[in-house]
Amino acid sequence: MKTQEIKVGTFNGFYPIENLKQSLVNRDIVKNHSELFGKKISEYGWMSPIIIDTKGNIIEGHHRALSAESLGLKTVPVYIVHWVKTDDLDEYQKYIISLNNSNRKWSAIDYLKSFSRNKDEYMLVFKKYNKTSSVFSVGNVLNIYFNCGTNQTFKDGNAKIKNIEFSDYLFENFLRLKSQYGGLKFQAFTINRVCSFVHQKIKTNKKEMDFMFKQLESLAKQDSPLLSSVEMIRPWLNEQLKIYRTK
């Protein structure tokens, strides 16, 4: 049986903290998480080193590094790996996401913000969400533009906008309806289900979608319970599309 060679890094128990570099493609630092690590380090000592490359770029342990700094430490234990190309943001990001997810799962906004730093389409969608986060959920914006929610394609940084003009059209109309009629009538799950239906059945047909938006607005004006029905909204959408196509 052939033995597989496994890459092994180097341990340094007293690496200068001033040489550590936080990653630009990591998710946002959570203050409470960093403070928790500080308490653990003070009480139990260093149970796991910070993982870095040969230049001091942090791959895993961003919160611990900040905790150590807040504790006034001058050195920290590190595990140095030589095979991660941190100048390649895609590769650097892949390692960070893989290791971080074993500690605290990445949320949709974590992925979106991280990939927005090196992928133009993610940047566009992140900016759209950032401007309207008080109106839309991150899932709404992902479904409007990527039609994927938080599936593996999105998490791998490979989600694509198929038609930016039509996605912008959906975005503006959903923004208008939700701003005018409120989140109780146009809830996040309603928008997600409508988006899924539209991308699958209507594609990029604005005339059909103009009709559908008018029908959705009619439901809102009538305070119809259909808008908040998980089971009934898709059959209703199918029925409305059939009416439009047969008239």
Side-chain angles (χ1 to χ4, degrees), residues 90-101:
D90 289 339
E91 179 173 330
Y92 191 12
Q93 199 168 44
K94 180 179 71 175
Y95 276 92
I96 286 176
I97 291 174
S98 176
L99 291 170
N100 278 191
N101 263 324

Side-chain angles (χ1 to χ4, degrees), residues 23 25 53-55 57 59 82-93 95 118:
S23 171
V25 294
D53 71 352
T54 55
K55 300 175 184 177
N57 293 300
I59 300 170
H82 60 274
W83 59 87
V84 179
K85 299 175 183 176
T86 54
D87 54 343
D88 180 340
L89 291 183
D90 289 339
E91 179 173 330
Y92 191 12
Q93 199 168 44
Y95 276 92
N118 58 316

Side-chain angles (χ1 to χ4, degrees), residues 140-185:
N140 287 160
V141 183
L142 294 181
N143 279 296
I144 289 171
Y145 283 93
F146 289 145
N147 185 31
C148 66
T150 54
N151 65 13
Q152 197 58 48
T153 299
F154 167 73
K155 292 179 180 179
D156 289 340
N158 296 321
K160 299 293 181 184
I161 301 172
K162 292 184 178 180
N163 187 307
I164 184 62
E165 182 183 350
F166 187 71
S167 291
D168 280 342
Y169 161 82
L170 293 178
F171 181 86
E172 294 301 329
N173 276 280
F174 278 124
L175 180 60
R176 173 181 62 82
L177 290 175
K178 192 158 186 179
S179 298
Q180 184 172 349
Y181 295 100
L184 289 178
K185 291 184 179 179

